[in-house]
Amino acid sequence: MNIDFTICEQMLNAIPYSVFLSNLEGRFLYVNDVACKTRGYTRSELLQMHIFDLDVPEFSLVNKNSLEILLEKGETNFESVHTRKDKSKIPVEVHSRLITLGDQKCVISTIRDITVRKQNEARLNELQIQQQAILNNIPDMAWIKDKKHRFIAVNKALAASSGVEIGDMLGKTDLDYYPKDLAEQYVSDDLEVIRSGVNKTIVERFFDSSGTMRWIETIKTPIYDEKNKIIGTTGIARDITQRKQIEEKLVESEKNFRLMAENARDMIYRIRFIPGEEVEYVSPAVRSITGYSIEEFTNDPGLGYKIIHPEDKPVWKEMLKHKYDNIPVSFRWKRKDGKYIWVELINVPFRDKNGSVAYIEGICRDISERKHVDDALKEEEEKYRSLVQNIKIAVFRTIPGSTGKILEANKALEEMSGYSREELMNLEVVNLYASPEERETFIRELALNPEKAVITSHLKKKDGTLIDAHMVAKAVKDVNGRLLYIDGTIEDITERNLLQKQLTYLYETEKKHREELQEEARVRGMFIDILAHELRTPLTPILISTGILKDLQSDKPGVQGKLTNNVYNSAKVLSRRLEELLEIARYSRGTFRLEKRSVETGKYLKDVILRFKPALDERGQSIHVEIVEDLNPAEIDPSRLEQVIINLLSNASKFSPQNGHISFKARVQCDYLRVEISDEGIGISPEEGQRIFQPYHRIEQDRLKFPGLGLGLAVAKQIIEAHGGKIWVESELDNGSTFLFIVPLKS
Ligand code: ADP
């Protein structure tokens, strides 16, 4: 068969595809230029070949099938791989058509080189595998949807959540898997992402197949093609139930923390160091503690250091050196008002992965009061310690029991025992006793009086000498009544006992002497009494006789009269002296008695003065009397008090010059009668003033000049004191004397 192709040859050669014309047996009738060039054959070579010679063996079957389809349907499309003359391969796409040329049926095939397409397909396939691998690696549910919301890629997690295989989901939509309203919501979210072109994060609640509520966070992102056109969406959905729970707890605990921090009396703070130092939080207590506001503290991270007492700054530096390692630190802070306070800080450091302190959280407490109490306590303890150490009485603390150890001992115990402190601490307490029995006695006594046992014992010093010890001990118990230790004091009373013995001896001796003296005084008193009575017996008739003689001779002055007067006056003086002696004797023998009665004080005193007046006249002496009117009556022994007044007046007269002047004053002073007798005589020195009231005492220089026994004032003192009164003298030498006495008006 000869077919003239010249007409369309030029046209066929212009086509960029390979064109083959073959008969139904597969013999080539015509091939165009492209067919020859792309396969490396010449046209004549190709025309010698059979259509199946071009196909790689794997495709020969495909081509045979295709030929059958072609014969049946008149047209077919298929892919194959051709072999070039150099044995290299070209993937091709074949379009064959049955045509009739003249009376002959032929096949015209247009074959396209699809190398590039195949390469792209392979690449796409590879990408899809990679994409699937990536998707599967995501623990969250992940998917890719096209614009029509169909899944074009899903990962295992998503397929598993729906209980299907990955492949089953491809091409399907949410409507195929989820309840209608939920699926519609998903579709509407996708649409929003497509419309807006921006990501959308959706957090939603979701009940899983077991009915448990779970929180899901989905991020939907638009997918753009190379022309920046949105072609679909991707989605990643994460189960954030746990995170949500933690977040909720965190919010809760943050809320609680705030509440606590805001209301706490302590100052709570957080200071960040990385990237820069910043006071992140400080609680309101900052104001009450430091006087500074929250803002002042947060604006100046260095404030905490600035206000530290200069002496305490090393404490802060030490804290930094130890990187805020939780140890409490205390120092003084200067409050805004200038006052110093003690604060205690506890910091908790939080480190980053390099181990550097990223931030600290801390609490600051005002401990001024505690510090004061502590200091006061320490001071008190110190004082107590120094007191115990320096006290002269020995102080001890021992373990209970007969052979207990000594736990505490002060210096006095060291001195008393002769042992050093160390020796005492290693000593069994029983060794301090003269005998173990004495320790037993001590323990027994303490058991009977645990609060305060007082025991006298014999202790043995280090050198073996014994001392008498006065011990006071107390049993110290714990809250359950268990005996912990024994506290007590020891006093060395050896010397005191010795002194007591000496004192007893002295007392005995003195008592004996006193009794002897009393006896002597009694005997002397008795002797004086007898003597005075014996002397008075002959004196009485002398006084009476001379008194009568004096009266008989009163109108006959002369020698006889004068002599009679002398005898009479001397007898009177003698009688007075005897009376004084008798009074003293009565006093020492204890037979002295007052005979009191009520007298009209003023009149009584005036009468006494009147009776003494002649004696004053005799010496040309005057008396000035000042007696307060309306004196109350006095209960006195009138004759004895007269004896006192007469004695004082006669002394005043005796120690005053001739024509001297005497004064007598009487008044009431607080229920007492007060009498003052003053003279302008020689006066008395203060020392003598003390002694003149003693019996037989007379001032040396007066002894020779003035007569007397030195008993007058002693008797006066006896009488005044027997009345419950007092007598004394106020005088200066050469400046007169005032004798004063007071006696109660009522007994
Ligand atoms: P006498 O009876 O010896 O005077 P008193 O007891 O009355 O004894 O007095 C004791 C002494 O006190 C006197 O010796 C005298 O030295 C002194 N004395 C007493 N009264 C006065 C006085 N008014 N002025 C100076 N000395 C006085």
Side-chain angles (χ1 to χ4, degrees), residues 577 580 647 651-652 654-655 679 682-684 692 697-699 702 707-714 737 739:
R577 298 282 172 257
E580 284 170 0
N647 183 267
N651 277 348
K654 186 157 69 175
F655 297 103
D679 62 53
I682 55 171
I684 306 162
I692 52 172
H697 184 85
R698 305 191 71 223
I699 296 172
D702 299 338
L709 280 175
L711 281 178
L713 289 177
S737 313
F739 281 82

Side-chain angles (χ1 to χ4, degrees), residues 409-603:
N410 68 345
K411 268 191 214 139
L413 186 55
E414 289 179 56
E415 280 162 21
M416 184 186 289
S417 65
Y419 289 104
S420 73
R421 190 179 159 78
E422 285 66 40
E423 286 169 331
L424 280 171
M425 296 298 167
N426 291 315
L427 202 69
E428 275 187 4
V429 70
V430 67
N431 294 321
L432 275 179
Y433 285 82
S435 73
E437 290 74 41
E438 295 218 47
R439 174 67 179 172
E440 292 301 331
T441 314
F442 172 88
I443 297 289
R444 253 198 323 276
E445 192 57 37
L446 189 67
L448 290 174
N449 301 296
E451 278 305 310
K452 188 180 177 184
V454 182
I455 309 122
T456 307
S457 232
H458 295 98
L459 298 185
K460 193 164 65 194
K461 289 169 69 153
K462 188 183 177 183
D463 62 12
T465 50
L466 297 184
I467 54 171
D468 296 341
H470 175 78
M471 297 195 273
V472 180
K474 176 182 166 51
V476 181
K477 297 175 178 179
D478 69 8
V479 282
N480 303 318
R482 201 165 53 93
L483 185 56
L484 294 175
Y485 36 73
I486 302 165
D487 277 352
T489 58
I490 310 172
E491 212 182 330
D492 182 350
I493 54 162
T494 317
E495 212 167 309
R496 201 169 82 189
N497 278 354
L498 214 69
L499 272 173
Q500 196 131 19
K501 274 180 201 151
Q502 281 174 357
L503 221 66
T504 315
Y505 171 75
L506 281 176
Y507 173 75
E508 294 293 336
T509 320
E510 192 261 358
K511 195 173 144 203
K512 213 173 110 202
H513 283 315
R514 194 157 22 92
E515 279 168 3
E516 280 172 9
L517 276 171
Q518 271 171 354
E519 181 56 16
E520 200 187 294
R522 197 184 62 81
V523 172
R524 193 176 60 226
M526 218 162 72
F527 167 75
I528 292 169
D529 195 31
I530 294 166
L531 181 73
H533 273 103
E534 286 306 315
L535 288 175
R536 206 168 56 170
T537 316
L539 188 63
T540 314
I542 294 175
L543 255 179
I544 296 168
S545 307
T546 46
I548 297 166
L549 262 177
K550 203 174 92 143
D551 288 344
L552 288 174
Q553 295 183 352
S554 60
D555 50 340
K556 298 177 200 151
V559 180
Q560 233 178 46
K562 266 188 190 164
L563 286 174
T564 311
N565 250 344
N566 277 350
V567 175
Y568 176 74
N569 284 340
S570 297
K572 261 182 95 180
V573 170
L574 192 59
S575 163
R576 210 158 55 232
R577 298 282 172 257
L578 282 175
E579 201 47 50
E580 284 170 0
L581 270 174
L582 275 171
E583 287 283 54
I584 286 289
R586 277 186 208 114
Y587 200 75
S588 24
R589 288 172 67 198
T591 54
F592 180 84
R593 300 271 179 279
L594 289 180
E595 281 168 28
K596 283 190 191 171
R597 63 182 169 84
S598 185
V599 296
E600 265 179 63
T601 316
K603 185 173 179 304

Side-chain angles (χ1 to χ4, degrees), residues 614-645:
L616 288 173
D617 293 343
E618 237 172 70
R619 298 200 68 206
Q621 292 169 327
S622 64
I623 184 162
H624 167 76
V625 179
E626 227 178 277
I627 298 171
V628 174
E629 292 299 321
D630 305 329
L631 283 177
N632 287 335
E635 265 180 49
I636 48 161
D637 181 332
S639 71
R640 285 224 158 84
L641 204 65
E642 179 172 349
Q643 200 180 329
V644 173
I645 295 168

Side-chain angles (χ1 to χ4, degrees), residues 710-721:
L711 281 178
L713 289 177
V715 170
K717 188 168 181 268
Q718 274 171 33
I719 294 168
I720 294 297
E721 283 176 1

